[in-house]
């Protein structure tokens, strides 16, 4: 068999990288649970009619089918796809279980998703997301919109990554402003302005004029999109543009609440950025994107927003607000710069040296005693010379080697970094806190 080649867009991490990923996941999970979000995991597949209900991701959905057609299979088996985000399966889950859930329902979900887009740095076809959402029946109080950046801000600050800034806007601000200008299709204007970073203001203005806006209206849209503040001063700046609309007023009030609440919690965490819109159709109010300091050109690492109709059944409606951390996206960018390190490539804290093969049972007993107190331990693979066994530990960053005492002598343990070797009892010895588990650090 020839040597296999990597499959683009489907990352596979070495053990040290995988431990870094697990470390980050645990920190994110812990923060989510501190805010009372409950864990959820949904199935990997959804019916195609659910995945394609918005239409814009139809070219990115991976279809799931049998290699050989089974005439006895249920017809639904031929119309399944892998989920491309965690919002669609969450909406389905809420509908299916609405009679069993307590509302408002707060959930977090850390799970793989699949999207058939062109792989590039920080973007994959299989990737891990960490989502939180709050959903309610009929009406969801606005204070949950102000809570989302606080949760994610705490989660991101718990990670050994560069500082992050959450960019926030409100769809009502944009739509109300465009309607106040007299533009009849605010959604189309929003989609056009959303291309600002890709094609620049001149071409955006040209597109707006080509779609029916006057030059003055196009210029006003660009002026709105250029507003960026770290406090609520954006309200006065928008008002100075001279546009009046009730929906605009409502959006400005909501956006100001989000910014002011975040500034009380963590000054510098958030910035009002009136050009962001988010691409998905179901966002109706607050929208979030997040930049990582030093990696701004790669786009958002965390995004989400308010949706007034996450799911509906008959007369019953479930509005929600949510945000998603792109775990694989963050890791891909930082791994690409060697910007994350871990103190050792295995979980092991102690290697028990093996003086000779017929003493393996005794060495296993020592290891068992250490493991009983949650100290990660392994026994040396062979009864090689002690120098070779020490190098075995050293190559993998394992800090300690345990030497069983001979002829009634006490056991000793050696810190192979400092060379210090002391007597030790497997029933009571404890490593320093910083050595118990591998440490992850940003560079």
């Amino acid at each position: 068999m020839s040597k296999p080649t990597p499959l683009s867009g489907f990352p596979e991490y070495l053990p040290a990288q995988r431990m870094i990923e697990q470390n980050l996941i645990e920190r994110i999970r812990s923060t989510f649970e501190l805010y009372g979000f409950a864990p959820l995991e949904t199935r990997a597949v959804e019916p195609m009619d659910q995945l394609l209900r918005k239409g814009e991701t139809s070219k990115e959905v991976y279809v799931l089918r049998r290699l050989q057609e089974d005439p006895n299979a249920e017809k639904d088996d031929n119309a399944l796809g892998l989920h491309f985000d965690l919002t669609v399966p969450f909406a389905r889950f809420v509908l299916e279980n609405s009679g069993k859930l307590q509302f408002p329902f707060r959930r977090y979900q850390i799970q793989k998703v699949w999207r058939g887009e062109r792989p590039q740095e920080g973007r994959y076809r299989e990737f891990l997301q960490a989502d939180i959402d709050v959903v309610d029946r009929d009406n969801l109080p606005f204070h949950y919109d102000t809570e989302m950046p606080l949760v994610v801000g705490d989660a991101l600050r718990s990670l050994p990554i560069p500082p992050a800034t959450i960019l926030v806007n409100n769809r009502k601000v944009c739509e109300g402003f465009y309607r106040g200008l007299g533009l009849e299709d605010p959604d189309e204007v929003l989609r056009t302005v959303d291309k600002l970073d890709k094609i620049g203001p001149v071409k955006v203005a040209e597109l707006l004029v080509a779609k029916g806006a006057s030059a003055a209206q196009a210029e006003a849209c660009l002026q709105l999109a250029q507003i960026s503040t770290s406090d609520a001063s954006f309200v006065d700046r928008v008002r100075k543009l001279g546009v009046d609309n009730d929906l605009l007023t409502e959006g400005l009030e909501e956006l100001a609440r989000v910014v002011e609440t975040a500034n009380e919690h963590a000054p510098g965490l958030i910035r009002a950025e009136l050009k962001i819109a988010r691409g998905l159709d179901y966002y109706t109010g607050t929208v979030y994107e997040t930049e990582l300091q030093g990696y701004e050109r790669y786009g958002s690492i965390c995004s989400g927003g308010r949706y007034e109709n996450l799911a509906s059944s008959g007369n019953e409606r479930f509005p929600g607000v949510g945000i998603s951390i792109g775990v694989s996206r963050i890791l891909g960018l930082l791994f690409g710069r060697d910007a994350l390190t871990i103190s050792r490539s295995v979980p092991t804290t102690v290697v028990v040296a093996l003086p000779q093969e017929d003493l393996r049972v005794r060495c296993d007993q020592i290891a068992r005693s250490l493991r009983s107190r949650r100290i990660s331990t392994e026994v040396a693979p062979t009864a090689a010379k002690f120098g070779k066994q020490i190098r075995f530990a050293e190559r993998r960053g394992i800090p300690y080697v345990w030497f069983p005492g001979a002829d009634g002598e006490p056991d000793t343990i050696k810190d192979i970094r400092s060379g210090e070797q002391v007597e030790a009892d497997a029933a009571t010895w404890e490593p320093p806190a910083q050595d118990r588990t591998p440490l992850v650090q940003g560079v």
Side-chain angles (χ1 to χ4, degrees):
M1 179 180 177
S2 60
K3 184 178 180 180
T5 56
L7 189 58
S8 177
F10 294 86
E12 291 182 319
Y13 297 141
L14 293 170
Q17 293 175 315
R18 174 61 174 152
M19 287 196 297
I20 291 173
E21 180 187 50
Q22 289 178 316
N23 181 280
L24 267 61
I25 291 169
E26 175 57 25
R27 297 186 194 200
I28 292 169
R29 182 201 63 78
S30 178
T31 303
F32 288 170
E33 292 191 354
L34 280 175
Y35 278 83
F37 289 86
L40 181 66
E41 182 169 331
T42 55
R43 66 197 184 205
V45 298
E46 296 293 334
M48 290 297 293
D49 60 348
Q50 289 296 310
L51 293 173
L52 302 180
R53 59 182 177 156
K54 293 295 182 181
E56 81 252 19
T57 54
S58 60
K59 294 181 180 179
E60 299 179 357
V61 175
Y62 281 109
V63 178
L64 188 71
R65 61 166 59 95
R66 295 171 182 264
L67 181 62
Q68 295 182 343
E69 186 176 354
D70 182 356
N72 298 317
E74 296 182 20
K75 64 178 182 178
D76 289 345
D77 287 353
N78 296 320
L80 299 176
L82 296 172
H83 56 226
F84 57 83
D85 70 3
L86 298 178
T87 303
V88 171
F90 177 55
R92 187 265 309 160
F93 181 89
V94 169
L95 280 180
E96 287 185 6
N97 297 278
S98 60
K100 305 173 185 176
L101 301 175
Q102 297 295 319
F103 292 95
F105 177 49
R106 301 162 69 87
R107 84 84 169 85
Y108 75 86
Q109 195 167 345
I110 303 175
Q111 200 170 338
K112 290 283 184 72
V113 301
W114 296 267
R115 192 173 297 176
E117 60 182 3
R118 183 174 65 86
Q120 50 188 300
E121 189 170 16
R123 289 191 179 274
Y124 305 102
R125 293 187 281 179
E126 178 183 70
F127 52 98
L128 186 70
Q129 290 187 183
D131 285 25
I132 51 170
D133 287 87
V134 182
V135 63
D136 208 343
R137 292 183 188 271
D138 300 325
N139 293 290
L140 180 71
F142 183 78
H143 66 78
Y144 291 111
D145 292 49
T146 69
E147 182 185 41
M148 286 290 131
L150 313 188
V151 183
V152 169
D154 285 358
L156 294 177
R157 282 196 301 275
S158 77
L159 307 180
I161 64 175
T165 303
I166 299 175
L167 314 179
V168 62
N169 195 6
N170 192 303
R171 285 284 186 90
K172 295 175 185 178
V173 171
C174 300
E175 183 178 344
F177 187 84
Y178 302 150
R179 290 190 183 280
L181 283 174
L183 296 169
E184 296 180 357
D185 190 352
D187 288 344
E188 182 60 33
V189 177
L190 200 62
R191 282 190 287 268
T192 304
V193 173
D194 198 33
K195 300 175 182 177
L196 193 58
D197 287 340
K198 294 181 179 179
I199 64 176
V202 174
K203 290 188 177 180
V204 166
E206 291 174 353
L207 283 175
L208 289 172
V209 171
K211 293 175 181 180
S214 68
Q217 288 172 326
E219 176 59 26
C221 292
L222 291 176
Q223 288 178 338
L224 179 72
Q226 290 166 359
I227 295 175
S228 172
T229 70
S230 58
D231 55 23
S233 62
F234 65 86
V235 176
D236 289 337
R237 292 182 60 181
V238 174
R239 290 300 185 201
K240 288 179 180 179
L241 296 178
V243 176
D244 187 40
N245 179 272
D246 289 343
L247 187 62
L248 171 61
T249 299
E250 182 181 339
L252 288 172
E253 290 174 353
E254 291 182 351
L255 186 55
R257 283 182 61 187
V258 173
V259 172
E260 289 169 348
T261 302
N263 279 336
E264 289 178 7
H265 179 80
L269 169 65
I270 206 165
R271 188 170 79 237
E273 195 74 46
L274 271 56
K275 67 181 178 181
I276 68 168
R278 300 293 305 131
L280 297 175
D281 291 342
Y282 44 69
Y283 292 123
T284 56
T286 311
V287 289
Y288 316 96
E289 291 188 355
T290 308
E291 291 181 343
L292 198 62
Q293 184 175 304
Y295 297 83
E296 291 87 353
R297 69 187 182 93
Y298 294 101
S300 181
I301 54 135
C302 173
S303 57
R306 156 78 68 142
Y307 32 81
E308 290 301 335
N309 194 24
L310 169 70
S312 59
S313 178
N315 294 326
E316 199 167 37
R317 185 174 60 88
F318 298 92
V321 61
I323 198 163
S324 173
I325 300 174
V327 179
S328 295
R329 185 161 176 73
I330 293 171
L331 289 173
L333 294 173
L334 297 180
F335 283 160
R337 300 293 186 277
D338 294 323
L340 285 173
T341 64
I342 192 164
S343 57
R344 53 186 186 261
S345 62
V346 292
T348 313
T349 303
V350 179
V351 169
V352 179
L354 183 64
Q356 54 196 58
E357 191 60 40
D358 60 5
L359 293 177
R360 183 171 290 277
V361 171
R362 183 185 171 198
C363 293
D364 286 341
Q365 291 172 341
I366 294 170
R368 189 158 51 248
S369 179
L370 292 168
R371 291 178 194 135
S372 72
R373 289 179 294 105
R374 311 303 298 171
I375 300 170
S376 180
T377 308
E378 59 184 281
V379 177
T382 62
K385 292 181 179 180
F386 281 161
K388 186 173 182 180
Q389 295 187 52
I390 291 173
R391 286 193 294 274
F392 167 78
E394 198 171 39
R395 282 195 299 271
R396 298 189 296 162
I398 300 170
Y400 297 99
V401 177
W402 190 285
F403 295 97
D407 301 324
E409 293 294 318
D411 293 355
T412 60
I413 189 165
K414 182 173 185 174
D415 183 334
I416 64 174
R417 300 161 298 184
S418 66
E420 181 184 12
Q421 186 167 343
V422 297
E423 291 184 8
D425 182 347
T428 59
W429 180 83
E430 289 284 342
Q434 67 269 22
D435 291 333
R436 181 173 279 276
T437 57
L439 296 179
V440 176
Q441 293 182 316
V443 176

